[in-house]
Amino acid sequence: MDLIDGENCYVDKFLNTAIPEGVVFQMMEAHLIGLPLSYGPPSITSSSEYAKSRRFALKDELDGAPYSPPTEKAKAHEELQANSVDSFISFLSIDILGSTALQQAYGGKFDEAYQIFLRELSTSVGHFHGSILNVTGDGFIAYIDMPRFTTQCDNTVDLGLTLLRVLQDAINPSLKQAGLPTLRIRVGADVGKAVRRNIAVEATNFRSFDFGSAALNRAVKIEQAAGAGQFLIGQALYELLHVFWLERCQLIPFSEHKIGLAEYKSYLVT
């Protein structure tokens, strides 16, 4: 908040617009009365410090010590229970580049590295109030479903960058020191509605479910457009972020036809 012409104002630094405090209170009274407020910040305060602590723990583990979980408390995994088109969910797609070649070249050593990769990055997902939707064999799909989209979207971007940081500063140095293959990933994310669809095949008694979500489809395809070590987000997610994250986004050339939406934009987050 800044003092402008003797009046307290909230300043949108991204749009260079000042909003008087009284106007903000009027908007809150008009739209927020009776609505619950929620706030779900990450359980880690610094990705770099967290990665450093995990590197020490991984080094000890790969030297023969027992697994040491983070001191920070990660949210327990929850199954995605979306059951209507009103469910608003963030999806992140994480892919290991060249996983087939690594599997062929390293065999069991790749499997060991992959287990550590999944455990450490899945734990990072929990620190941002997220869960794993599924494991893809060369990566995974994560999601964040929170009561308020503002914190949810900020957490989504913070998580995507944290995944890259933990891999670069904790997992890969530890894998290299232990003689295991290091990994390269790319990350894509977007946000939108999702609906759970139950699947039943009466002839074979097969029962399962999946999730219909354009946001999930976009997240996967945006991830496929990223390079090694890059984190791309879609336009829907970008438009809901706070200024701090917007200032770290760069519009990049993107083939809109890959996701079936004309003029859909993608952004590199650094």
Side-chain angles (χ1 to χ4, degrees):
M1 183 180 296
D2 292 340
L3 189 66
I4 300 177
D5 295 332
E7 185 176 11
N8 287 330
C9 294
Y10 290 90
V11 178
D12 185 331
K13 296 180 179 178
F14 193 74
L15 298 176
N16 196 30
T17 301
I19 306 175
E21 184 179 33
V23 174
V24 174
F25 288 160
Q26 291 174 7
M27 291 189 295
M28 293 176 65
E29 291 176 357
H31 299 285
L32 298 181
I33 295 300
L35 294 177
L37 297 178
S38 65
Y39 180 51
S43 55
I44 59 176
T45 56
S46 168
S47 296
S48 58
E49 290 301 315
Y50 176 75
K52 184 185 299 182
S53 68
R54 294 312 300 156
R55 180 174 180 177
F56 292 142
L58 285 172
K59 178 184 181 301
D60 291 343
E61 180 184 353
L62 291 169
D63 284 341
Y67 165 65
S68 176
T71 56
E72 300 87 352
K73 182 66 174 178
K75 183 183 79 72
H77 173 78
E78 295 179 356
E79 295 294 333
L80 186 54
Q81 298 297 324
N83 54 17
S84 77
V85 293
D86 294 326
S87 298
F88 191 74
I89 299 172
S90 300
F91 293 98
L92 297 98
S93 178
I94 296 88
D95 178 66
I96 298 175
L97 280 74
S99 60
T100 301
L102 289 171
Q103 176 73 64
Q104 292 176 347
Y106 291 93
K109 286 189 175 183
F110 171 79
D111 294 335
E112 186 177 352
Y114 185 60
Q115 289 296 323
I116 292 172
F117 161 85
L118 280 180
R119 186 192 69 198
E120 291 299 318
L121 293 195
S122 296
T123 302
S124 296
V125 170
H127 286 309
F128 290 84
H129 302 274
S131 293
I132 303 300
L133 180 63
N134 57 55
V135 176
T136 61
D138 55 1
F140 59 91
I141 304 292
Y143 69 91
I144 301 179
D145 182 14
M146 299 181 69
R148 291 294 175 265
F149 72 86
T150 49
T151 302
Q152 173 180 313
C153 291
D154 285 348
N155 278 7
T156 301
V157 173
D158 203 350
L159 171 57
L161 292 173
T162 297
L163 295 175
L164 294 175
R165 170 75 69 168
V166 172
L167 179 68
Q168 173 185 312
D169 292 354
I171 298 175
N172 274 342
S174 301
L175 295 178
K176 183 177 181 180
Q177 188 170 359
L180 299 174
T182 57
L183 306 174
R184 299 181 303 153
I185 64 171
R186 56 190 182 189
V187 183
D190 214 345
V191 65
K193 295 179 179 180
V195 57
R196 174 168 171 153
R197 302 180 297 205
N198 293 318
I199 301 172
V201 181
E202 298 300 333
T204 61
N205 199 32
F206 174 77
R207 298 288 187 276
S208 185
F209 65 88
D210 71 353
F211 288 91
S213 172
L216 172 56
N217 295 338
R218 292 196 305 265
V220 172
K221 292 177 180 179
I222 289 170
E223 167 259 297
Q224 292 171 351
Q230 287 188 333
F231 175 34
L232 303 185
I233 65 172
Q235 180 179 339
L237 177 55
Y238 172 86
E239 292 177 349
L240 296 175
L241 295 175
H242 279 107
V243 173
F244 175 80
W245 294 118
L246 292 177
E247 291 176 338
R248 299 181 62 173
C249 294
Q250 174 187 349
L251 181 65
I252 64 168
F254 188 71
S255 299
E256 297 91 345
H257 69 275
K258 289 186 177 180
I259 54 176
L261 290 176
E263 299 181 359
Y264 197 76
K265 296 181 175 62
S266 181
Y267 299 82
L268 173 67
V269 189
T270 58

